[in-house]
Amino acid sequence: MLIGVDLGGTTIKAGLVDFEGNILKQSSRPTRVKMGHGTIINDICEQIEELIAAQGIHIEDIHSIGIGVPGLVEYDTGKVKYCSNLSWNNVELGAELYSRFKRKVYIENDATAAGLAESLFGSTKGADNSVFLTLGTGIGSGIIINKHIYSGSHGAGSEIGHMIIGENFYNCSCGNNGCFETLASATSIIRYAQHRIKEYGVQSVILELAGNKLESISAKNIFDAAKSGDALALETVDRMCKYLAIGIMNIFNMLDPDIIALGGGVAMAGDFLLEQVKEKLDKMLFTTGIKYGRLVIATLENNAGIIGSAFLGYYINADKDYA
Amino acid sequence: MLIGVDLGGTTIKAGLVDFEGNILKQSSRPTRVKMGHGTIINDICEQIEELIAAQGIHIEDIHSIGIGVPGLVEYDTGKVKYCSNLSWNNVELGAELYSRFKRKVYIENDATAAGLAESLFGSTKGADNSVFLTLGTGIGSGIIINKHIYSGSHGAGSEIGHMIIGENFYNCSCGNNGCFETLASATSIIRYAQHRIKEYGVQSVILELAGNKLESISAKNIFDAAKSGDALALETVDRMCKYLAIGIMNIFNMLDPDIIALGGGVAMAGDFLLEQVKEKLDKMLFTTGIKYGRLVIATLENNAGIIGSAFLGYYINADKDYA
């Protein structure tokens, strides 16, 4: 059996996963960011111990422990090099968990782990080359090339959220302007709607749905308002879809994968989103007669993180030839 | 021995190459585009026959024939699917050459072939993951992943020139606006300088260097004027370097290669170009503490096409483990 941990900025999700990708048991805890990495690592360890106890097994029954983290990892050492949501720098996550459990520990970027799950059991299963995009607070991605995780030469690959694709009215947290994630994430549409209401006094159902509090606007408010025909909401979604199409087209033109899957909160808008993006994409894709891959909504939803993390070790130990 | 052919929009270059990557003999002919693909293929065959005769060997002494073409190829069949410079669509280049010589024939995108040459014998030698960019009329690229050519699931990978990175005053030939190659190729700087002189009446040494003919401005005129301190030339080069830095940063953030090498006509500007791009890039690269790959000028220059094409077959036959 495998353990997968999806370490997020607000929640730690952990699961006991079988070799067919089924989650047998799972639990979640809030991520106590302010308490520092020691507390968080201890919380993760307790969650793992609870899962094992609840299943009535022992730690020796666990093949390996995998953890997906929202940042950059040093694959070989299991060190989290950088993680802005958690304010982590060079945290020895892998070594700490190994010393506690004496099981092999594998750490990966969370979106990369989710992309692995989709490629083993979900929307991109069977594809040689695929890209998973998670559209949430930011934009994360997981690249699969020749059925294996591709994370670059320094673990900084698949930082697709920071690809510059245009100009924007606010700068990205990375310091640059026009990053993909400032134009096509959940945060990007919230900020755009707030900006239009505040700066230009635009009237919108969005504000009503957010209880007339500008700072309470959520991505869901915007999609709900758009579905009801609200002009600002439609404009906001249209703008996001335009930039989503540009970002996706750039991925097709650089990596030419068999398939690109959209996950994360924004992708919950499903076909409403997909159809608009596809329409824009079809008009943009370079020249006729070239076959491009497919664009789909990811299928494993919130479970992708746990499943993908669980399989990091099994997948690697199987001489990188699982799938 | 190997045969490599670099089929360009203006010149066909062919060479006899040994297994250490040395060009033993080479020749070139104009590409007679208007005569159609039959004539061009016949010209290529004649060049190959002449090279073999000049070396005093027989066709049976040739391991394989490789051809780099400025377009999209169907790798398995040796078919050129699309090639705008030559007005080719679905040309059976591989089959035609095989029927003439009865040697194995391998076709690839020309920039990809040049990228292979750089990775076997040039600027990116020894790197697991590298990207070669050719900055000329357009921007082509060759991606090497795990020491092997990566050309995507449908041969459309590495169309990095059509990555959208901003907004531009003219549209790309592909129909979109803001493509990398309309902002950072030789053509892009010529068009920008022409645009500024024509629309805004800007005075510049560039025009003098081009014999006072707007339509005769070359990329070399612009670089020469910039080196002499001409204001418009410096502005034009600065703008190109800004977008070159953005495009390169996008590649680092998506693929995180060990090394990116710049080739093609524009890269002949060497350190003058490289230093400006590096300065902008250093300011942009996402967060501190992350290790990114190196940026260099490619070293094989005009020979990369012939050498890379020659090795397409040898490389593949050697169970993809040459290098």
Side-chain angles (χ1 to χ4, degrees), chain A residues 150 154 159 176 253 256 284, chain B residues 154 159 176 253 256 284:
Chain A
Y150 179 79
H154 316 91
E159 286 290 337
N176 291 323
N253 273 329
D256 181 25
M284 292 171 68
Chain B
H154 316 90
E159 285 290 337
N176 292 323
N253 274 329
D256 180 25
M284 293 172 67

Side-chain angles (χ1 to χ4, degrees), chain B residues 40 74 78 178 213 254 278:
Chain B
I40 294 173
E74 200 167 82
K213 285 182 187 164
M254 193 180 303
K278 276 187 173 173

